Amino acid sequence: DAGVTQSPTHLIKTRGQQVTLRCSPKSGHDTVSWYQQALGQGPQFIFQYYEEEERQRGNFPDRFSGHQFPNYSSELNVNALLLGDSALYLCASSLLGAQANSPLHFGNGTRLTVT
Amino acid sequence: RKEVEQDPGPFNVPEGATVAFNCTYSNSASQSFFWYRQDCRKEPKLLMSVYSSGNEDGRFTAQLNRASQYISLLIRDSKLSDSATYLCVVNPPEAGTALIFGKGTTLSVSS
């Protein structure tokens, strides 16, 4: 049973460009959360999707947007890339009806480098 | 005060040593606490949840002190393979279902 899978593994973009990252949740999970981890920092919550809608959002600008598909997979889009967007982007899936405040299990992440 | 604070280290210890990490959190109403382990350039992985009564998993012991708002992780008989960054994680009420991570404490175990 595959866990959370993310693609691509690595990505290099130029300032001003747009990027799309993808995440497939663990089988049976219906909720996807995205986190950004800059070098030397802990992961920071970007947003969470459930039933194809953004359910909760962290302190990130509107340049960060997402989408969830009927099969529960998700995309993270970042527009007008800045150098500071260089980070490891992590996706985690969960079951909304599961025990509240359960720990998250992350995918391998996508390492984005903006030059 | 930051939501979750950790001593970044690094902690450099020999094999077999006992090492302890502490973490403080700002919201006294927080209910869920975890320790995650992150290897270099990899994703964080859950090491253990932290329960009010304290809990142990092999060589690892986690403690929660609600009065002082700190969490600790004790590693006994350190192994080379324990070298990693340890992230303290809290779920305060205002965060909803989001987890709040500390910056992590780096441990290096040498032979």
Side-chain angles (χ1 to χ4, degrees), chain A residues 54-81:
Chain A
E54 184 182 289
R55 184 168 176 266
Q56 187 179 344
R57 188 179 183 93
N59 188 26
F60 278 80
D62 291 344
R63 297 186 298 109
F64 289 77
S65 63
H67 188 77
Q68 186 180 33
F69 299 93
N71 67 352
Y72 308 117
S73 66
S74 176
E75 288 182 348
L76 163 65
N77 301 293
V78 187
N79 294 323
L81 283 167

Side-chain angles (χ1 to χ4, degrees), chain B residues 38-104:
Chain B
Q38 185 170 28
D39 294 305
C40 188
R41 303 184 72 80
K42 299 287 189 181
E43 77 277 17
K45 293 184 178 179
L46 177 67
L47 178 65
M48 59 197 304
S49 300
V50 185
Y51 303 118
S52 295
S53 56
N55 48 300
E56 187 174 305
D57 183 3
R59 298 181 293 107
F60 299 83
T61 300
Q63 296 277 351
L64 170 63
N65 184 320
R66 287 191 181 276
S68 301
Q69 293 175 220
Y70 84 78
I71 309 154
S72 64
L73 176 67
L74 182 76
I75 305 176
R76 293 182 299 277
D77 188 22
S78 298
K79 311 291 185 189
L80 294 175
S81 58
D82 293 334
S83 297
T85 295
Y86 291 84
L87 298 159
C88 176
V89 186
V90 176
N91 175 238
E94 71 272 17
T97 56
L99 298 181
I100 307 300
F101 287 75
K103 289 186 176 182

